[in-house]
Amino acid sequence: MSPRTQFINFRASFQFKLFLIFTLLTALMAVLFGSAYIVTEIREQSIYAGDRCQLIAAHLADTVRLPLFAENRTVLMQIAQDIARTPDFHSLTVRTNDGRVLAEMRKPISRSPSELLSRTVEVRSTPLGSSPESAIIGSKEPVGALIGTVRLDLDTTELKARTQRLIMMACATAFLFWLSVSSLCYLALRQVTRSFNALMRGLESMQTGNYAVRIAPVSNDEPGRAAGAISLLAASLQEREEENRRLQQQLVDAMRLEVQKEKQQIMAKLIQTNRMTSLGLLASSMAHEINTPNGAIKLAGQQMAKTWKSALPILERVAEEEGDFVLGGAVFSLVRGEVTKATEVIARCSERIEKVVQDMRAYNVGGHSDAKGRVNLNQVVVDALTIIRAHGRHGNIVIQTEPYPELPAVTGNRYQLEQVVINLILNSIQAIPESRNGVITIISGYDSLHGEVSLVVRDDGKGIRPDIMSRLMEPFFSTRMESGGSGLGLYISNFIVTEHRGRLVVESEPDKGTTATISIPAAGDAGTPGPDAPPAPEV
């Protein structure tokens, strides 16, 4: 384990949290006691320096009393020179009671007033009974006449230096105290948390599923006893796990018989999947084979449309001059519209074949079709019923439509939505027994409140059992698997509707029929109808 990882694990441990708490408390105590000591010592030093200055000044006042009374400058200067030998002396001034300076002594080094300690003492004709305590404390005894004053200034530089040394020594002592106590706390916590660490290592091993591990108690304290209890719990869990394995094996053996029953159904689905894969490969090759003749048909249709468009004015003039004539086995007045429609049908069907081929290729390579066109679901129903006519299995079934007038368009893929409608209609046709007639109703609508276009396909067939309803959208699930059903119709339809940001809901009651409802959001301008679509005819 790298040092970085060890440090990260240590930071996340309970030992680090305790160590941090003790360290911060020790640092706080060291700072408080150190600060109190420094403040007390500074105050004591200041008081001592003031008392010393006061004592010296009072002693000078007693010494210079007679020379000051006699105004003997020589003696006063001699006394000033003796006092100047004091290490922290700065200046001395002796004045008479009328303010005249008789003696003054000053060191050449100048100090700012903030670095000087000054005391001024009055010189009086005090009797010999004056006490030293009165001189120290500077008590004013109204004894004797005022002769003059003595002003003494002492340099406090040395005092400040001693104060700084005192602060540094106190800070160093507090730091060493904090460092020593923190080290001792770390060693003590390391010893105390040994049981916790052993307990956590055992729990981490059990967390991985290794219940065979046993935690050896390091001490007889609470964590040690907890380790013993957890070891007993691990033994119980290990026995329980072995029992569960035996029960699971018995359950697996019992389920194998049931699995055999489902094996045939699963194999049938796998066979169907293989068929779908083969069908995809066949569709890919067919797409290539269909695309070539479809291109020729499309080109021929375009050329025929251009030719007919050019020849139509000439034929109309001939009909005006010579009367209606026979063209292609029918009179020109009837052929004119039919040929125009036929060219349009050729172009539309060719485009549809081309689109189907593109979708087949995209599906085969896992692509997605463009779903950004505007589609009218009424027209989708018309195109779907056109394909249903070719199916041939609805002779006894009536398909009736109820289109919504001016139905708004939806954004999507026209051919995919057409596939959905075809799947739903074919499911309804297959749900109606051949022995009786049936009715399939297709209703389109628009919900302006939610901005959704809906399409409902309802039949009166045999319905769907409740136990099957929950599996309708599953892939490869079909109740007609034996008769060729793929089980992909509703699954693909639901997928397409979901891709169009819509939903497909199927409701059914046995022997009463089934109703499938498609709801898709209308296009951006939902209030605007889509392309005009003629109502779907009844089939």
Side-chain angles (χ1 to χ4, degrees), residues 377 404 407 410 443-447 452-456 517-520:
L377 291 186
Y404 184 87
L407 185 69
V410 298
I443 306 172
S444 61
Y446 174 60
D447 184 359
E452 291 182 339
V453 177
S454 62
L455 190 67
V456 179
T517 304
I518 303 171
S519 299
I520 300 176

Side-chain angles (χ1 to χ4, degrees), residues 8 33 42 44-45 47 61 86 144 146 148 153 162 199 253 263 308 320 378 380 385 427 458 468 530:
I8 293 174
F33 282 108
I42 291 175
E44 293 293 334
Q45 291 283 351
I47 294 174
T86 305
L146 179 64
D153 296 329
R162 286 199 303 271
L199 182 62
D253 294 339
K263 185 177 179 180
W308 177 252
E320 290 176 357
N378 286 340
V380 170
L385 290 178
N427 285 343
R458 182 183 300 124
I468 298 178

Side-chain angles (χ1 to χ4, degrees), residues 48-65:
Y48 170 76
D51 292 343
R52 181 172 175 273
C53 184
Q54 181 69 28
L55 181 60
I56 295 175
H59 176 69
L60 283 174
D62 288 338
T63 303
V64 302
R65 181 180 298 109

Side-chain angles (χ1 to χ4, degrees), residues 42-269:
I42 291 175
R43 185 170 63 251
E44 293 293 334
Q45 291 283 351
S46 300
I47 294 174
Y48 170 76
D51 292 343
R52 181 172 175 273
C53 184
Q54 181 69 28
L55 181 60
I56 295 175
H59 176 69
L60 283 174
D62 288 338
T63 303
V64 302
R65 181 180 298 109
L66 294 177
L68 177 61
F69 181 77
E71 296 186 359
N72 189 344
R73 296 178 180 270
T74 303
V75 176
L76 292 175
M77 289 299 297
Q78 183 64 38
I79 294 173
Q81 290 176 359
D82 293 340
I83 293 299
R85 295 188 182 95
T86 305
D88 53 352
F89 174 81
H90 180 266
S91 63
L92 174 65
T93 304
V94 181
R95 299 177 184 270
T96 61
N97 58 352
D98 57 357
R100 290 181 294 109
V101 179
L102 297 182
E104 184 175 11
M105 179 65 67
R106 188 181 300 274
K107 279 187 176 181
I109 301 175
S110 61
R111 298 291 180 183
S112 61
S114 61
E115 297 179 354
L116 298 178
L117 183 63
S118 300
R119 291 290 186 274
T120 301
V121 180
E122 296 178 349
V123 181
R124 294 179 178 271
S125 56
T126 307
L128 295 177
S130 177
S131 63
E133 290 81 0
S134 300
I136 293 175
I137 64 177
S139 62
K140 297 180 180 180
E141 298 180 0
V143 187
L146 179 64
I147 299 175
T149 60
V150 175
R151 176 183 173 87
L152 177 64
D153 296 329
L154 297 181
D155 190 358
T156 60
T157 302
E158 182 62 26
L159 177 63
K160 291 187 176 181
R162 286 199 303 271
T163 303
Q164 291 178 356
R165 289 195 297 271
L166 174 65
I167 294 174
M168 293 179 62
M169 185 177 297
C171 292
T173 303
F175 176 74
L176 291 176
F177 170 76
W178 171 79
L179 187 62
S180 301
V181 174
S182 298
S183 301
L184 293 175
C185 287
Y186 175 75
L187 296 176
L189 288 174
R190 186 175 180 182
Q191 181 67 24
V192 170
T193 56
R194 286 177 59 195
S195 300
F196 284 104
N197 294 333
L199 182 62
M200 290 305 301
R201 286 193 297 269
L203 291 176
E204 289 174 356
S205 299
M206 294 178 189
Q207 188 177 5
T208 61
N210 182 18
Y211 298 119
V213 67
R214 297 294 180 267
I215 304 174
V218 179
S219 60
N220 194 25
D221 53 3
E222 287 81 359
R225 291 193 292 271
I230 291 177
S231 297
L232 294 177
L233 177 62
S236 300
L237 291 176
Q238 186 178 11
E239 294 177 359
R240 184 74 58 83
E241 187 178 15
E242 293 176 356
E243 181 66 21
N244 288 337
R245 288 198 189 99
R246 288 193 296 270
L247 293 176
Q248 288 177 359
Q249 184 62 39
Q250 294 176 3
L251 181 61
V252 169
D253 294 339
M255 291 180 62
R256 283 177 180 174
L257 297 176
E258 297 183 6
V259 171
Q260 294 295 331
K261 297 178 181 178
E262 297 181 3
K263 185 177 179 180
Q264 295 180 353
Q265 297 179 1
I266 296 175
M267 290 302 298
K269 291 181 180 180

